[in-house]
């Protein structure tokens, strides 16, 4: 007779099922989001080079503005998951509503700043005289959709906290499809040009926000949670998000420094860097999906005062991170003859990017652990430590990266500096996880 699986085996299988159930749909939603800009680029690219250049500048500004507020998703996921674990769904949804109200307030503030300053922001990016008008038009119109984009972030955090990553996937796919259709109709059918693309994107974003609000409001009514704004709750959501904002800004600074250093090395190096960075970002989506599962699962276990469950889940997700990193690293190495020609035909660019790409492949297992532990600590609500850890990482990375051109290093040296950044993150996150100080149980941290 076959033996029944042991308790550790059953525990690992349970965690595997939970991770897969949350991570796979989360990965789909993450991949769908950047496709918005790709669709806009494909449609506007046929209008002319100046229009496409204008879109590139405006999209960079919008992406930066929105990514700063990613804490709306992360902090909300952790807070809601804790209350779910504590068995208080009414309070969980109420917590989520606070995050949504905060998103609306922040979105209104961003519009108030962006509309009058759009020409100045565009000129700050060095837009040419021909591209600047298109960039300003796209930025002003698209900024009207920022509140909806931030609501989508916060509502995504609510549903992740409720252990639901399927609905965000469906909404992301629907929004992507609507964006493509609306852009085509308004740009070509209505003849609105780049303004039509911006309006199509805004309409798609508003539709996504409306779909999320429908789901959240329905849940609030089912459990008797108030929909009214609660100032103390909104203030608490903002306070919880500040450390994660510091973490995000520090990470953005790392990426900006790396790009600036690569640009100083020459056109070939910056072109190769953009390709490597794009692939690095794509790999990050797969690892971030596991981190998102970690946020939801760890928050729920801690809310239920299940310390052992939280530690076991953390351990299993680290194993997933390592395994996923190994697989991604192998894919980069084995598939490089297939995807490198898709990005460039320039022999010099290919020769420059290849060794840097191998550095990325080699360090993917480290990245896997870093992403997972980042998600675990976010799920635990340990944002203050994450902020300090990322500041330490930035302080270690910046001087090394800035010395690359002085020391005569090339793009590979830049990516070894990026690997140092990931190694420092690994050490800081691992030390915190081993200390056990992140294990704080209860409905609130």
């Amino acid at each position: 007779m076959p033996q029944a699986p042991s308790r550790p085996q059953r525990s690992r299988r349970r965690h595997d099922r939970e991770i897969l159930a949350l991570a796979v749909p989360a990965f789909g939603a993450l991949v769908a989001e950047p496709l918005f800009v790709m669709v806009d680029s494909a449609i506007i690219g046929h209008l002319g080079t100046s229009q496409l250049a204008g879109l590139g500048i405006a999209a960079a500004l919008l992406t930066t503005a929105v990514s700063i507020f990613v804490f709306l998703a992360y902090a909300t996921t952790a807070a809601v998951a804790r209350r779910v674990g504590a068995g208080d769904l009414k309070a969980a949804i109420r917590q989520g509503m606070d995050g949504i109200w905060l998103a609306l307030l922040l979105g209104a503030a961003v519009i108030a700043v962006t509309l009058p300053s759009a020409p100045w922001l565009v000129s700050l990016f060095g837009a040419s005289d021909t591209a600047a008008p298109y960039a300003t038009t796209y930025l002003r119109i698209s900024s009207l959709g920022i509140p909806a984009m931030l609501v989508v972030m916060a509502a995504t955090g609510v549903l992740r906290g409720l252990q639901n990553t399927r609905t965000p996937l469906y909404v992301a796919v629907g929004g992507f499809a609507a964006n493509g259709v609306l852009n085509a109709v308004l740009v070509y059918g209505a003849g609105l040009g780049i303004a039509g693309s911006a309006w199509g994107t805004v309409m798609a974003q508003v539709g996504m926000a409306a779909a999320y609000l429908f789901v959240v409001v329905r849940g609030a009514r089912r459990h008797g949670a108030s929909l009214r704004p609660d100032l103390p709750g909104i203030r608490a959501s903002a306070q919880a998000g500040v450390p994660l904002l510091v973490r995000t800004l520090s990470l953005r600074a790392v990426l900006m420094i790396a790009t600036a250093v690569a640009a100083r090395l020459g056109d070939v190096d910056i072109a190769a860097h953009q390709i490597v960075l794009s692939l690095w970002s794509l790999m990050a989506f797969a690892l971030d999906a596991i981190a998102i599962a970690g946020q939801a699962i760890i928050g729920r276990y801690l809310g239920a005062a299940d310390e052992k469950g939280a530690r076991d889940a953390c351990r299993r997700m680290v194993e997933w991170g390592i395994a996923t990193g190994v697989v991604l690293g192998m894919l980069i190495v084995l598939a490089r003859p297939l995807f490198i020609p898709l990005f460039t035909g320039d022999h010099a660019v290919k020769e420059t990017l290849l060794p840097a790409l191998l550095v990325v492949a080699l360090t993917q297992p480290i990245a896997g652990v870093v992403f997972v532990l980042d998600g675990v600590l976010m799920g635990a609500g340990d944002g203050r430590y994450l902020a300090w850890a990322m500041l330490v990482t930035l302080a270690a990375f910046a001087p090394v990266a800035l010395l690359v051109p002085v020391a005569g290093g090339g793009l590979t040296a830049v990516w070894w500096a990026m690997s140092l950044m990931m190694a420092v993150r690994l050490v800081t996150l691992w030390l915190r996880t081993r200390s056990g100080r992140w294990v704080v149980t209860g409905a609130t941290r």
Side-chain angles (χ1 to χ4, degrees):
M1 289 179 61
Q3 292 184 339
S6 65
R7 182 174 298 178
Q9 287 177 321
R10 290 198 299 271
S11 176
R12 283 196 297 270
R13 289 177 183 176
R14 184 179 75 252
H15 290 312
D16 289 346
R17 287 194 296 270
E18 286 185 328
I19 294 167
L20 278 172
L22 293 172
V24 172
F27 174 71
L30 288 169
V31 171
E33 290 173 6
L35 292 179
F36 270 75
V37 176
M38 290 181 63
V39 168
D40 289 2
S41 299
I43 291 175
I44 292 176
H46 292 286
L47 296 178
T49 302
S50 297
Q51 289 91 331
L52 186 59
L55 170 66
I57 293 167
L61 286 164
L62 288 165
T63 301
T64 300
V66 173
S67 65
I68 288 173
F69 300 112
V70 72
F71 69 83
L72 288 167
Y74 293 159
T76 304
T77 297
V80 171
R82 274 184 174 270
R83 295 187 182 277
V84 168
D88 193 348
L89 288 178
K90 178 180 177 180
I93 295 175
R94 176 63 258 179
Q95 183 86 44
M97 286 305 305
D98 292 336
I100 290 173
W101 280 111
L102 177 61
L104 287 169
L105 291 173
L106 291 173
V110 173
I111 288 178
V113 171
T114 305
L115 286 179
S117 64
W120 176 78
L121 290 170
V122 167
S123 65
L124 193 65
F125 266 61
S128 66
D129 291 339
T130 54
Y134 296 112
T136 302
T137 297
Y138 191 93
L139 181 60
R140 278 182 165 158
I141 296 173
S142 293
S143 67
L144 300 176
I146 286 179
M149 295 168 73
L150 299 188
V151 166
V152 166
M153 277 189 181
T156 299
V158 176
L159 295 180
R160 287 173 181 171
L162 294 170
Q163 317 296 296
N164 176 0
T165 56
R166 290 184 178 272
T167 298
L169 172 61
Y170 299 149
V171 174
V173 172
F176 167 68
N179 181 58
V181 173
L182 288 168
N183 269 258
V185 170
L186 295 176
V187 172
Y188 300 126
L192 296 179
I194 195 169
S197 177
W199 281 117
T201 300
V202 169
M203 292 166 67
Q205 290 162 349
V206 170
M208 292 173 67
Y212 275 117
L213 288 175
F214 173 79
V215 174
V216 174
V217 169
R218 185 178 60 182
R221 288 176 174 168
R222 183 186 305 128
H223 297 287
S226 173
L227 299 173
R228 295 179 179 178
D230 176 61
L231 289 181
I234 294 172
R235 191 181 304 114
S237 294
Q239 289 172 345
V242 168
L244 295 180
L245 174 62
V246 173
R247 168 204 167 272
T248 300
L249 289 174
S250 300
L251 182 57
R252 295 290 300 182
V254 164
L255 299 177
M256 289 175 66
I257 290 171
T259 300
V261 170
R264 291 180 62 185
L265 298 176
D267 290 348
V268 170
D269 290 88
I270 187 60
H273 174 74
Q274 287 303 115
I275 295 171
V276 178
L277 186 61
S278 297
L279 291 167
W280 185 82
S281 300
L282 181 62
M283 300 299 104
F285 283 133
L287 300 174
D288 205 25
I290 304 174
I292 287 169
Q295 293 171 31
I297 293 170
I298 295 298
R300 192 189 75 233
Y301 274 121
L302 294 178
D306 187 352
E307 291 189 23
K308 184 179 184 304
R311 292 179 186 276
D312 288 347
C314 174
R315 189 178 301 111
R316 189 56 178 163
M317 279 183 283
V318 167
E319 293 171 357
W320 270 75
I322 295 171
T324 305
V326 170
V327 171
L328 292 175
M330 291 175 63
L331 280 175
I332 291 173
V333 173
L334 296 176
R336 68 187 190 281
L338 300 176
F339 64 74
I340 289 178
L342 298 177
F343 288 96
T344 181
D346 189 310
H347 182 69
V349 174
K350 287 181 180 179
E351 283 194 338
T352 302
L353 75 84
L354 188 57
L357 201 59
L358 293 177
V359 172
V360 172
L362 184 66
T363 56
Q364 281 302 294
I366 294 175
V369 178
V370 167
F371 274 79
V372 166
L373 294 183
D374 203 42
V376 166
L377 296 183
M378 282 186 191
D382 205 6
R384 192 170 294 180
Y385 180 83
L386 288 172
W388 281 110
M390 199 61 225
L391 286 171
V392 169
T393 301
L394 175 60
F397 166 80
V400 174
L402 294 173
L403 281 173
V404 168
V406 178
L411 184 65
T412 304
V414 173
W415 278 93
W416 275 119
M418 288 287 285
S419 300
L420 170 66
M421 179 270 293
M422 295 301 290
V424 174
R425 291 188 72 190
L426 175 64
V427 171
T428 56
L429 296 175
W430 185 260
L431 288 174
R432 184 64 168 183
T433 307
R434 287 292 301 271
S435 74
R437 294 179 182 177
W438 58 279
V439 184
V440 179
T441 59
T444 57
R445 183 178 173 85

